[in-house]
Amino acid sequence: MRFLNRVIDSVDAYLERYFAKKWHWIFTAAIVLAILFILYFAFCFTSERYVSDGFASSGHRTAFFVLFGIHNFICLSYLFLEFLFKRLTGRKAVWAFMLIASSCLIAWGFTNPLNLGHHHDSGALGKGNHWSIIYDIFSTGQVPPVNLHNQYYQPKFYHLIISYLMKFNSLFIHVGDTALSSSFPDYTLSAYHALELTRVYMIILGISSFYATYKSFFAFGISDKKAALATIFAIMIPQFWYVQFFFNNDGQAFAFALIALALAFRFKNNEKILPLSLSALFLGMAMMSKLNAVMMAIPIAIIFIYVLYIHICNFLYIFYFF
């Protein structure tokens, strides 16, 4: 037990020093991105079309889920030891569960390829749906016009990002130039896998939504214990993982709206122009992804009104004494 205590002490001390560094988030983002690409190419990438799931083979799927189990066992063991040594805090619990939730998100994303799987109004190799919007932008470089009779009525910011990520991925992925359908001559096997690689982007959106939820609850003004319980409850709801792989604009709008809310809370606490501007930017991008994201403007407006109210009260208090 003493050895385990020393190990946990060392881990806690290292993490405390690391996260105390001013620019730690840049290195953390780079590490997360590198890990996601390594995992994708290790377990998912193949030169063939997917048949039943998004793994390269059944052996790759088995190896991934063995790694998945080991990872989550380590996270739960860390939580247990921190609790045993009476050093478990709300933030430590949240970070451990964010790692667990992220692994579940990755597992769901890897299991469900974009050209197959459980998606909402996506319709790979079909017309009038989200997939065909992405294909139109990818093949022509132009945003298609609005059509109120199918999914072309949607804002197309999400589709624009995915199509340009496909173009970028196509610079590195060359596995076949034969069209998969005569109706879509530019959709080759290389384009097929360039689209599949955008699953990494969707995982990033999911992890960002976890982090934004954590930052919002901890900035809400409640105790760390309550904020931790609320965060863990939210990020462990499976819908948090599923929404990013509906293969439509819901996941991006959801993630950007949560980031906008977290930045609004940050503005409430430090009243600097940068989080205020970024909150407006992400809310705008959320609405450019899907218009119902405008609902997030209500809690954000309440936060801004609260800040204004505090300033008015302070001004009147000073004016009263003069």
Side-chain angles (χ1 to χ4, degrees), residues 77 114 122 124 159 192 215 221 320:
S77 298
L114 301 181
S122 58
H159 312 87
Y192 174 100
K215 297 297 286 185
Y320 174 79

Side-chain angles (χ1 to χ4, degrees), residues 12-290:
D12 286 347
Y14 173 78
L15 291 175
E16 187 174 345
R17 289 195 304 271
Y18 175 77
F19 287 109
K21 297 181 185 297
K22 187 175 181 180
W23 299 106
H24 70 84
W25 58 272
I26 297 178
F27 300 105
T28 303
I31 291 168
V32 169
L33 193 62
I35 289 173
L36 291 176
F37 276 109
I38 290 170
L39 289 174
Y40 182 86
F41 281 101
F43 297 106
C44 296
F45 186 74
T46 175
S47 59
E48 306 296 329
R49 296 175 70 173
Y50 297 109
V51 177
S52 59
D53 59 40
F55 291 98
S57 68
S58 59
H60 288 82
R61 181 177 62 244
T62 301
F64 172 82
F65 279 105
V66 168
L67 184 63
F68 172 85
I70 293 172
H71 168 271
N72 289 338
F73 175 77
I74 291 172
C75 291
L76 291 173
S77 298
Y78 171 78
L79 284 173
F80 174 75
L81 291 173
E82 287 283 9
F83 176 77
L84 186 66
F85 297 131
K86 299 181 180 180
R87 292 185 307 205
L88 183 62
T89 64
R91 292 181 185 273
K92 289 179 181 179
V94 165
W95 277 102
F97 273 101
M98 275 208 289
L99 288 174
I100 294 171
S102 296
S103 70
C104 293
L105 174 74
I106 294 168
W108 181 254
F110 283 6
T111 303
N112 290 279
L114 301 181
N115 290 278
L116 297 171
H118 306 286
H119 307 304
H120 180 63
D121 292 331
S122 58
L125 294 175
K127 295 183 178 181
N129 48 50
H130 292 279
W131 181 91
S132 62
I133 298 173
I134 293 169
Y135 172 80
D136 286 347
I137 300 173
F138 174 75
S139 60
T140 67
Q142 297 179 344
V143 176
V146 171
N147 185 335
L148 298 180
H149 299 288
N150 53 38
Q151 293 302 320
Y152 280 65
Y153 81 91
Q154 300 271 11
K156 298 175 177 66
F157 185 49
Y158 165 80
H159 312 87
L160 193 68
I161 290 177
I162 297 298
S163 63
Y164 276 96
L165 284 175
M166 284 179 65
K167 286 183 178 292
F168 178 77
N169 296 339
S170 297
L171 298 174
F172 311 99
I173 296 177
H174 301 283
V175 292
D177 296 324
T178 303
L180 302 184
S181 170
S182 58
S183 301
F184 305 98
D186 292 323
Y187 200 62
T188 64
L189 189 60
S190 295
Y192 174 100
H193 283 291
L195 175 62
E196 289 294 346
L197 185 54
T198 63
R199 282 187 277 170
V200 172
Y201 170 69
M202 296 168 194
I203 292 170
I204 292 170
L205 288 177
I207 294 174
S208 299
S209 67
F210 296 158
Y211 185 72
T213 302
Y214 152 68
K215 297 297 286 185
S216 295
F217 277 123
F218 273 83
F220 198 70
I222 57 179
S223 67
D224 278 8
K225 182 178 179 180
K226 293 177 180 177
L229 289 173
T231 303
I232 293 168
F233 177 79
I235 67 177
M236 293 305 293
I237 296 175
Q239 190 68 15
F240 241 90
W241 320 328
Y242 297 165
V243 68
Q244 297 303 333
F245 295 96
F246 283 169
F247 190 21
N248 61 22
N249 47 356
D250 291 345
Q252 180 171 286
F254 181 64
F256 286 169
L258 287 174
I259 293 171
L261 179 64
L263 288 165
F265 274 116
R266 186 172 180 83
F267 168 73
K268 180 182 78 72
N269 292 334
N270 64 20
E271 297 187 19
K272 293 183 178 179
I273 192 66
L274 182 60
L276 175 64
S277 302
L278 289 176
S279 179
L281 175 64
F282 274 97
L283 181 60
M285 291 195 298
M287 293 172 60
M288 288 169 64
S289 303
K290 193 161 187 174

